[in-house]
C-alpha cells in the first residue's frame, strides 16, 4: 500500500516580524493560488501544517477546497535558529546553514541544530506514515525542515536543495520506505 506525502514549502513570506506570525507577501499570496491549483487534482485526503502562519496560509485554500481542517503539529515548525522567535538576517542565516549542513550538530546559543530539528520533524513524518497509511497527505512546512526530513531518506537533499519558495515535492512511500520523489512546482 502506497502513501503519498506532499511537502509544501511555504510561499514567499514577509521579512519583518515574529517567526510564528509573519504572513505572506503579495507574490506569496499569488503563489498560493498556484499551489492549490497544482494539488487540487491529486486527491489529497489530509492537510497538515507547521504552526507558523506562513505555512498555514500556504495550504489553507487547499484545505478549504477539500473541506478539511488543517491539522497543526508544533514539531513541524521551522528550525529554531535562536532562543527567541525573531527572524535572523539572511547575512547570518546562510553562513549558519552552510556550517549546519557540514556539521549537523552545530547550533547558535539557545538555538537548535539540524540534527535536533530533523529528529523532531521525522517523528511527525513517521507518525503520519502510520496514521495515514495508503492516503495522500499535504504537509505545509519550511525550507530547512522539509530538506532535513527528505535528507533523512536520501543525503542528496542538502543546502543546494533550498532553492525556491514555494516548492512542492511528492514523496511516495511503501510502508516507511521512500520509493520515489517528484518535484511538482513549476517556476513561472
Amino acid at each position: 500500500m502506497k502513501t503519498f506525502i506532499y511537502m509544501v514549502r511555504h510561499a514567499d513570506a514577509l521579512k519583518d516580524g515574529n517567526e510564528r506570525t509573519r504572513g505572506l507577501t503579495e507574490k506569496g499570496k499569488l503563489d498560493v493560488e498556484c499551489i492549490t491549483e497544482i494539488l487540487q487534482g491529486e486527491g489529497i485526503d489530509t492537510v497538515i501544517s507547521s504552526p507558523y502562519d506562513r505555512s498555514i496560509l500556504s495550504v489553507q485554500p487547499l484545505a478549504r477546497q477539500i473541506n478539511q481542517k488543517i491539522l497543526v503539529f508544533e514539531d513541524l515548525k521551522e528550525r529554531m535558529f535562536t532562543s527567541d522567535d525573531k527572524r535572523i538576517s539572511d547575512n547570518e542565516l546562510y553562513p549558519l546553514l552552510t556550517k549546519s549542513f557540514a556539521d549537523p550538530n552545530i547550533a547558535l546559543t539557545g538555538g537548535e541544530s539540524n540534527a535536533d530539528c530533523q529528529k523532531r520533524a521525522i517523528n511527525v513524518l513517521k507518525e503520519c506514515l502510520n496514521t495515514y497509511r495508503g492516503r495522500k497527505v499535504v504537509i505545509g512546512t519550511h525550507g530547512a525542515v522539509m530538506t532535513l526530513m527528505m535528507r533523512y531518506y536520501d543525503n542528496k537533499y542538502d543546502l543546494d536543495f533550498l532553492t525556491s519558495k514555494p516548492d512542492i515535492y511528492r514523496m511516495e512511500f511503501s510502508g516507511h520506505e521512500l520509493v520515489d520523489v517528484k518535484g511538482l512546482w513549476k517556476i513561472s
Side-chain angles (χ1 to χ4, degrees), residues 88-186:
I88 64 174
S89 72
D90 290 346
N91 290 338
E92 295 172 281
L93 179 62
Y94 295 121
L96 175 60
L97 286 173
T98 300
K99 290 176 188 174
S100 296
F101 276 91
D103 178 352
N105 293 305
I106 287 178
L108 296 176
T109 303
E112 175 179 51
S113 69
N114 271 4
D116 291 335
C117 178
Q118 183 184 57
K119 182 178 179 182
R120 71 168 157 79
I122 280 298
N123 286 337
V124 174
L125 181 55
K126 288 179 177 180
E127 180 182 333
C128 289
L129 291 171
N130 289 331
T131 303
Y132 303 105
R133 188 170 179 228
R135 296 190 183 157
K136 295 181 176 185
V137 179
V138 163
I139 296 180
T141 189
H142 306 270
V145 176
M146 178 182 80
T147 301
L148 292 170
M149 284 192 281
M150 294 174 76
R151 185 175 179 80
Y152 178 83
Y153 295 97
D154 190 333
N155 280 334
K156 76 178 181 183
Y157 300 106
D158 59 13
L159 183 59
D160 294 332
F161 180 68
L162 288 168
T163 55
S164 83
K165 223 185 286 182
D167 216 340
I168 305 171
Y169 286 89
R170 181 177 61 213
M171 301 172 71
E172 180 182 334
F173 289 88
S174 178
H176 282 255
E177 180 185 352
L178 179 64
V179 295
D180 189 41
V181 176
K182 181 176 182 186
L184 302 181
W185 182 254
K186 308 291 188 250

Side-chain angles (χ1 to χ4, degrees), residues 34-97:
C34 296
I35 291 169
T36 305
E37 187 177 309
I38 289 167
L39 293 174
Q40 71 185 358
E42 292 289 320
I44 304 299
D45 300 298
T46 304
V47 180
I48 292 171
S49 181
S50 152
Y52 289 17
D53 287 356
R54 59 193 181 271
S55 292
I56 291 170
L57 292 169
S58 295
V59 296
Q60 196 169 52
L62 175 68
R64 283 189 191 125
Q65 191 175 72
I66 64 171
N67 201 27
Q68 295 290 318
K69 289 184 178 181
I70 297 172
L71 305 174
V72 175
F73 284 80
E74 181 68 21
D75 282 344
L76 291 175
K77 66 186 175 189
E78 180 60 288
R79 178 179 160 196
M80 299 301 296
F81 294 105
T82 63
S83 59
D84 57 25
D85 274 340
K86 291 183 182 169
R87 181 181 184 275
I88 64 174
S89 72
D90 290 346
N91 290 338
E92 295 172 281
L93 179 62
Y94 295 121
L96 175 60
L97 286 173

